């Protein structure tokens, strides 16, 4: 009997140690799991976390400095005019030499029939018919440059004006009230209507009035408005 119980005790002693080893093994596994699981969980959490990147804030726009434009200089006041020119000073006064009826017009491009000379010819002035003795006036300010008895145009007065103009007054009564070198003003009487022009005697009392500009004949109607 004693010999049969000995193996049982031996087995029971070995079983104790086996059970103890298993307990230690389980304890080690549990400890290992407890030690390394938080680190793995942290890694898994880190790998599963979506990182949202926020764009960097844009810098605030800097105010643009406007170019400094220098102010325009103030206009200088106009120079004072010592004397104010009047319209009368700028435009020479020109008047009609005689109130009457124009019977022959100016014509230097077309021939006109001359009853006195019984032919066709040009006419370098205008003939104004009026009563014998009517006053003839100078057309503008000027100077008498000639008084003569012309063979064809009769008693004639020539007056020189500014800007190269010269006026001619023919078929006047003899002895006109002006003389060479005399200064006259527009509207002054320089003669009287007569019938002294042999080349226009068939017209009766009238004034033959003509105008030249720098020695060239011009239409009197362009000079006397």
């Amino acid at each position: 009997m004693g010999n049969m119980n000995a193996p049982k005790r031996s087995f029971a002693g070995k079983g104790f140690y086996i059970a103890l080893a298993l307990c230690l093994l389980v304890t080690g596994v549990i400890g290992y799991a407890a030690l390394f699981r938080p680190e793995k969980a942290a890694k898994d959490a880190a790998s599963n976390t979506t990182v949202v990147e926020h764009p960097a804030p844009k810098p605030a726009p800097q105010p643009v400095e406007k170019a400094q434009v220098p102010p325009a200089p103030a206009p200088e006041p106009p120079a004072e005019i010592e004397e104010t020119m009047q319209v009368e000073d700028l435009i020479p006064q020109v008047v009609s030499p005689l109130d009457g009826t124009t019977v022959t017009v100016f014509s230097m491009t077309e021939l006109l029939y001359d009853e006195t000379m019984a032919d066709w010819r040009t006419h370098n002035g205008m003939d104004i018919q009026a009563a014998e003795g009517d006053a003839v006036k100078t057309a503008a300010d000027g100077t008498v440059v000639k008084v003569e008895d012309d063979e064809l145009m009769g008693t004639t007065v020539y007056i020189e004006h500014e800007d190269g103009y010269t006026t001619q007054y023919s078929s006047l009564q003899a002895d006109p009230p002006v003389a060479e070198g005399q200064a006259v003003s527009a509207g002054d009487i320089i003669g009287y209507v007569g019938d002294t022009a042999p080349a226009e005697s068939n017209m009766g009392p009238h004034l033959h009035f003509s105008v030249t500009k720098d020695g060239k004949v011009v239409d009197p109607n362009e000079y006397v408005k």
Side-chain angles (χ1 to χ4, degrees), residues 82-97:
E82 295 182 1
E83 296 183 2
T84 303
M85 298 296 291
Q86 302 297 326
V87 175
E88 293 78 4
D89 298 327
L90 302 176
I91 303 176
Q93 184 179 5
V94 178
V95 300
S96 175

Side-chain angles (χ1 to χ4, degrees), residues 17-181:
Y17 287 109
I18 291 171
L20 180 59
L22 290 174
C23 288
L24 293 174
L25 179 61
V26 170
T27 302
V29 170
I30 294 172
Y32 176 83
L35 179 64
F36 292 99
R37 184 174 296 276
E39 182 179 353
K40 183 177 183 301
K43 290 182 180 180
D44 292 343
S47 62
N48 293 330
T49 301
T50 302
V51 178
V52 179
E53 295 183 359
H54 295 281
K58 296 182 179 180
Q62 298 297 324
V64 179
E65 295 184 1
K66 295 183 179 180
Q68 298 295 327
V69 180
E76 296 182 2
E80 294 185 0
I81 300 175
E82 295 182 1
E83 296 183 2
T84 303
M85 298 296 291
Q86 302 297 326
V87 175
E88 293 78 4
D89 298 327
L90 302 176
I91 303 176
Q93 184 179 5
V94 178
V95 300
S96 175
L98 177 66
D99 293 330
T101 302
T102 300
V103 291
T104 309
V105 296
F106 173 84
S107 180
M108 295 299 292
T109 57
E110 296 183 6
L111 298 178
L112 302 177
Y113 184 72
D114 188 326
E115 294 184 356
T116 302
M117 305 302 290
D119 61 10
W120 294 83
R121 61 180 61 196
T122 59
H123 194 247
N124 68 353
M126 59 190 298
D127 294 329
I128 305 172
Q129 197 170 51
E132 181 85 23
D134 281 355
V136 176
K137 298 170 288 187
T138 181
D141 296 352
T143 302
V144 177
V145 293
K146 185 186 294 186
V147 178
E148 67 175 2
D149 290 325
D150 187 80
E151 294 182 354
L152 295 177
M153 301 308 299
T155 301
T156 302
V157 174
Y158 295 90
I159 299 177
E160 211 170 67
H161 309 279
E162 292 183 350
D163 300 325
Y165 286 99
T166 300
T167 53
Q168 173 186 338
Y169 311 79
S170 297
S171 193
L172 301 175
Q173 291 182 349
D175 301 322
V178 290
E180 293 181 10

